[in-house]
Amino acid sequence: MKIILATGNKGKIDEFKKLLPNEEVFTFKEIIGDYEVEEDKDSFKGNAVKKAQEIYEKIGSKDAIVISDDSGITVPALNNEPGIYSARYAGTNATDKENNSKLISKLKEKNLKETEAYYTACIAIVYKGYTYTVHGWMYGKVIDKEIGENGFGYDPMFIPNGFDKTLGNLPYEVKKEFSHRSKALKLAKKVLDIIL
Ligand SMILES: O=c1nc[nH]c2c1ncn2[C@H]1C[C@H](O)[C@@H](COP(=O)(O)OP(=O)(O)OP(=O)(O)O)O1
Ligand SMILES: [Mg+2]
């Protein structure tokens, strides 16, 4: 099956390719080149739907299977920041490093060495003009420093429940078992089984 990912995030693309080893996975950039979808909705679902629908329209083939992912990390002790603003926490086009530094300063302001946090992923599928959405979550805590180089984004600051290391220091096999993205994609595969 040919699947087109409506994402420009390299970390997500690597994970989707590992999670879909038996499918032909393309990124939208390989098909239509550079394109930016404005993420102006107020939920992961709103932005995931917008990204998948806009890329599906741009590609212009009814039979294309387009999959988007809108995701982020929520820290209840910081009034649920950064949430849907995770990618632009430190400003438009902020790097992962800059976003992590901002989260670290926010935690330090509140003297929080560690606190509960969770990742959310909403995956939207668009096929034959119809849109389907599924969600997945991963629970754990964030710490006020970055440890390890594995993963991407906030992973060096995130310790999943049941572990004592950050995702920066855990192999991808662990993240693959429990991640918000893996869980959402399991549901997305069930949707594809039904609609294709
Ligand atoms: O597994 C994850 N491990 C670490 N960090 C993560 C993860 N999942 C999402 N995140 C963070 C990265 C980014 O700061 C934000 C996603 O923002 P989000 O708009 O969905 O993605 P993006 O702008 O990087 O790429 P795109 O919109 O093209 O899919 O949450
Ligand atoms: Mg984005």
Side-chain angles (χ1 to χ4, degrees), residues 126-184:
V126 182
Y127 177 63
K128 303 251 187 214
Y130 291 97
T131 306
Y132 309 83
T133 55
V134 291
H135 286 78
W137 289 270
M138 173 167 50
Y139 294 88
K141 59 193 177 193
V142 280
I143 55 170
D144 67 348
K145 50 173 123 13
E146 293 171 277
I147 306 176
E149 303 289 325
N150 294 342
F152 68 98
Y154 296 92
D155 285 344
M157 302 179 62
F158 187 85
I159 300 178
N161 281 346
F163 293 85
D164 54 8
K165 286 180 181 166
T166 67
L167 288 175
N169 259 347
L170 287 166
Y172 181 64
E173 284 60 44
V174 172
K175 185 176 179 187
K176 190 176 173 179
E177 280 298 308
F178 304 103
S179 92
H180 47 314
R181 184 162 300 106
S182 310
K183 290 179 195 157

Side-chain angles (χ1 to χ4, degrees), residues 178-196:
F178 304 103
S179 92
H180 47 314
R181 184 162 300 106
S182 310
K183 290 179 195 157
L185 193 60
K186 266 187 202 149
L187 295 174
K189 285 179 186 171
K190 289 191 188 290
V191 172
L192 290 172
D193 279 346
I194 295 166
I195 64 175
L196 290 179

Side-chain angles (χ1 to χ4, degrees), residues 6-12 15-16 28-29 35-37 39 44 47 51 68-73 82-89 94-96 99-100 119-122 138 151-156 158 167 172 175 179-181:
T7 176
N9 181 307
K10 198 184 162 298
K12 290 184 191 177
E15 291 193 4
F16 274 112
F28 78 90
K29 284 186 187 174
Y35 184 75
E36 195 80 40
V37 179
E39 295 176 35
F44 292 110
N47 285 324
K51 288 189 270 192
S68 70
D69 165 311
D70 199 65
S71 46
I73 192 165
I84 62 164
Y85 304 105
S86 293
R88 46 198 149 108
Y89 197 32
T95 61
D96 287 348
N99 288 328
N100 290 359
Y119 279 117
T120 304
C122 177
M138 173 167 50
F152 68 98
Y154 296 92
D155 285 344
F158 187 85
L167 288 175
Y172 181 64
K175 185 176 179 187
S179 92
H180 47 314
R181 184 162 300 106

Side-chain angles (χ1 to χ4, degrees), residues 10-28:
K10 198 184 162 298
K12 290 184 191 177
I13 294 166
D14 288 347
E15 291 193 4
F16 274 112
K17 287 187 171 168
K18 287 184 187 144
L19 293 166
L20 295 163
N22 302 318
E23 315 300 340
E24 285 182 275
V25 178
F26 299 87
T27 67
F28 78 90

Side-chain angles (χ1 to χ4, degrees), residues 4 26-33 59:
I4 300 161
F26 299 87
T27 67
F28 78 90
K29 284 186 187 174
E30 293 175 275
I31 297 163
I32 57 167
I59 288 170

